[in-house]
């Protein structure tokens, strides 16, 4: 699984990139067919001015989650938690067929 991070309007530091890698590498536990993950990080207008958009590609589907928060870490946590639930539902639905 490949994880690509694109930061818009700023340069993401290595600490943030490592945090993202750690959170999103765990997604493989919930769905074994993830081909790649793309994250777009951007600065928005106040008050919750950090935005994270995750695009996860799996066979026959693309899952997208976007959240805003005060910090990128908060937004990454929210996005990864929601994505875990979506992957579990998708895998369960696939097993029922």
């Amino acid at each position: 699984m490949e994880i690509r991070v694109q930061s818009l309007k700023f340069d993401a530091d290595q600490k943030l990139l490592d945090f993202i890698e750690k959170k999103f590498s765990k997604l493989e536990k919930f769905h074994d067919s993830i081909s790649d993950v793309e994250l777009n990080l951007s600065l928005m207008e106040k008050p919750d001015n950090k935005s994270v958009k995750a695009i996860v590609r799996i066979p026959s589907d693309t899952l997208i989650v976007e959240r805003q928060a005060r910090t990128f870490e908060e937004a990454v946590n929210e996005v990864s938690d929601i994505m875990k639930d979506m992957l579990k539902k998708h895998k369960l639905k696939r097993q029922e067929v």
Side-chain angles (χ1 to χ4, degrees), residues 21-69:
E21 179 77 28
K22 182 179 175 185
K23 292 298 271 187
F24 280 87
S25 63
K26 294 178 183 178
L27 292 182
E28 283 186 306
K29 295 178 187 175
F30 302 100
H31 201 290
D32 54 354
S33 302
I34 298 173
S35 59
D36 69 293
V37 177
E38 182 179 329
L39 282 111
N40 295 316
L41 312 176
S42 58
L43 298 171
M44 309 292 287
E45 296 295 320
K46 291 184 179 178
D48 293 341
N49 67 340
K50 309 293 191 295
S51 175
V52 174
K53 179 179 182 180
I55 303 167
V56 175
R57 291 178 185 83
I58 52 178
S60 75
D61 211 353
T62 300
L63 306 176
I64 301 172
V65 176
E66 184 172 12
R67 289 291 179 266
Q68 288 82 36

